[in-house]
Amino acid sequence: MSLPPAERLRAAGLKVTKGRVAALESLAAQSHATAEELQRRIAAEGVPMTLQAVYLALQVLTDAQVLRRIEPAGSAARYELRVGDNHHHLVCTRCSRVVDVDCATEEAPCLLPADTHGFAVATAEITFWGLCPGCAEEEGAE
Ligand SMILES: [Zn+2]
Ligand SMILES: [Zn+2]
Ligand SMILES: [Zn+2]
């Protein structure tokens, strides 16, 4: 994370609270984590937060675009610190591992439908699904 959590919060015009700082720190340690995963990590750091409080902090941070939320089909919402760069995700269909991939064009929308039906298309959300190298190897061994 390029900026310390407190500075990130101030830059976004948000109040610096223990919970928000803890959420950002735990995400720096584990990207694309779910709220439950973050709550466990935060608790392990000695900051007890209810799941509700974690969700609320994540919501505020997402609304302020300090965080990005992704919702791969069949998965709980996941959060990350990498915002505003139109990157995409590779998701493993077996272990749910999520990996960032740069957008080939960087500009949104990097893909247009064959027919926009008059929509001013702003973004294309792209998720690539498949087996990660570890799972591909295990499948091959089975
Ligand atoms: Zn996998
Ligand atoms: Zn990502
Ligand atoms: Zn793209």
Side-chain angles (χ1 to χ4, degrees):
M1 171 162 51
S2 48
L3 274 179
E7 278 179 44
R8 278 200 180 220
L9 292 169
R10 281 192 208 102
L14 294 174
K15 236 169 72 182
V16 179
T17 67
K18 234 176 154 175
R20 289 172 189 171
V21 169
L24 290 176
E25 279 174 346
S26 58
L27 266 179
Q30 183 184 359
S31 195
H32 309 115
T34 64
E36 279 90 350
E37 286 167 344
L38 292 172
Q39 187 202 20
R40 276 199 295 278
R41 212 168 249 283
I42 292 167
E45 294 297 317
V47 185
M49 272 174 93
T50 62
L51 191 53
Q52 175 97 9
V54 172
Y55 270 117
L56 191 66
L58 293 171
Q59 183 68 54
V60 169
L61 294 168
T62 304
D63 288 348
Q65 291 174 357
V66 176
L67 297 184
R68 177 171 162 190
R69 175 173 50 220
I70 61 164
E71 295 172 78
S75 156
R78 293 171 181 273
Y79 299 85
E80 65 182 334
L81 294 167
R82 199 174 154 182
V83 292
D85 65 352
N86 197 49
H87 74 274
H88 307 305
H89 295 98
L90 286 159
V91 183
C92 180
T93 49
R94 189 161 136 156
C95 70
S96 303
R97 184 174 154 210
V98 180
V99 176
D100 284 338
V101 279
D102 289 336
C103 175
T105 67
E106 285 174 29
E107 301 264 313
C110 54
L111 197 71
L112 281 174
D115 183 349
T116 62
H117 294 275
F119 279 53
V121 176
T123 60
E125 203 173 86
I126 299 167
T127 305
F128 302 95
W129 296 90
L131 289 175
C132 72
C135 288
E137 202 171 302
E138 276 180 42
E139 288 248 312
E142 269 164 21

